């Protein structure tokens, strides 16, 4: 399985909005509404922040939102805060080569 | 409270084998698909394998197919990953995860180092 494509890094100033893209194929992102997003701080376990494209788990800030168009999913962080500085990964169910899941390449978010 | 506790990691020589375990608590283990995900320190996440709630279906990433075997014991609430023919590029932290359509609970991970 090929990893989903994310930008290596995205940065923004406090209070700004940023968007992270996640590009796959019709066998994963484009074919199923099973895209999820994870936040990982250094040395910590990944944390689910968006599931099934645009749903937020209980307790996750509404500054995080997700969407999808075609083969590309997006995560938007609005009102950027210093604690948002972390690595972000998308994931999707996939039927490419094997039935399972695939993660994105990861994006480092820097708060300037 | 959901808990996933991995064990079994360590240092192993290339070509060697290792079995990881993950003990689950706080949810009905026998109802859920369980997965293994790995992460090379400082690098990205890689999905490794999954097993259906009753153990009747398994899937693997191409990178581990034929070398790794996932299994579970629902009576003991335990997930396993048998890793054979280990290579240097299998060095990673291995996470046990519960999956609905998303990875909602993760263990703390166990480090596997393949080196001579």
């Amino acid at each position: 399985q090929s990893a989903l494509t994310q930008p290596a890094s995205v940065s923004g100033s406090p209070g700004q909005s940023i968007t992270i893209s996640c590009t796959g194929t019709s066998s994963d992102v484009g074919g199923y509404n099973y895209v999820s997003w994870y936040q990982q701080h250094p040395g910590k376990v990944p944390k689910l922040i968006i599931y099934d494209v645009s749903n937020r788990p209980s307790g996750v800030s509404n500054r995080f939102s997700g969407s999808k168009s075609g083969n590309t999913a997006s995560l938007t962080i609005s009102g950027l805060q210093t604690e948002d500085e972390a690595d972000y990964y998308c994931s999707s169910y996939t039927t490419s080569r094997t039935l399972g899941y695939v993660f994105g390449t990861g994006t480092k978010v820097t708060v300037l | 409270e959901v808990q996933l506790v991995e064990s079994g990691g360590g240092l192993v020589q290339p070509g060697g084998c290792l079995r990881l375990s993950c003990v689950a608590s706080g949810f009905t283990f026998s109802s859920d698909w369980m997965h293994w995900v790995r992460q090379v320190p400082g690098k990205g996440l890689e999905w490794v394998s999954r097993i259906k709630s009753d153990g009747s279906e398994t899937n693997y990433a191409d990178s581990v197919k034929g070398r790794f075997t996932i299994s579970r014991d629902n009576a003991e609430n335990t997930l396993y990953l048998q890793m054979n023919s280990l290579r240097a590029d299998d060095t990673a932290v291995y996470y046990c995860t519960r999956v609905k359509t998303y990875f909602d609970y993760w263990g703390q991970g166990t480090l596997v180092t393949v080196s001579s």
Side-chain angles (χ1 to χ4, degrees), chain A residues 78-101:
Chain A
S78 57
L80 200 61
Q81 299 180 1
T82 55
E83 59 260 37
D84 298 333
E85 186 161 296
D87 293 323
Y88 292 82
Y89 297 92
C90 62
S91 178
S92 173
Y93 178 71
T94 181
T95 54
S96 174
R97 297 182 63 81
T98 190
L99 300 180
Y101 283 75

Side-chain angles (χ1 to χ4, degrees), chain A residues 21-77:
Chain A
S21 61
C22 170
T23 301
T25 69
S26 58
S27 295
D28 39 65
V29 174
Y32 306 92
N33 287 326
Y34 296 145
V35 177
S36 50
W37 290 89
Y38 305 85
Q39 177 192 61
Q40 187 178 33
H41 287 106
K44 300 297 186 181
V45 174
K47 174 189 175 184
L48 175 70
I49 56 174
I50 294 289
Y51 68 94
D52 295 350
V53 176
S54 59
N55 295 286
R56 264 189 321 275
S58 173
V60 172
S61 172
N62 59 8
R63 298 184 299 102
F64 294 94
S65 61
S67 63
K68 189 184 85 167
S69 177
N71 295 337
T72 298
S74 298
L75 172 72
T76 297
I77 309 174

Side-chain angles (χ1 to χ4, degrees), chain B residues 17 22 24 28 35-36 39 42 44 50 63 65-66 74 80 82 84 91 93 100-101 107 110 112:
Chain B
C17 59
C22 169
T28 306
H35 296 227
W36 289 98
Q39 184 173 34
R50 70 171 184 170
S63 57
K65 199 172 295 182
N74 285 347
Y80 300 102
Q82 177 68 43
N84 298 332
T91 294
V93 173
K100 300 294 189 181
T101 57
T110 186
V112 172

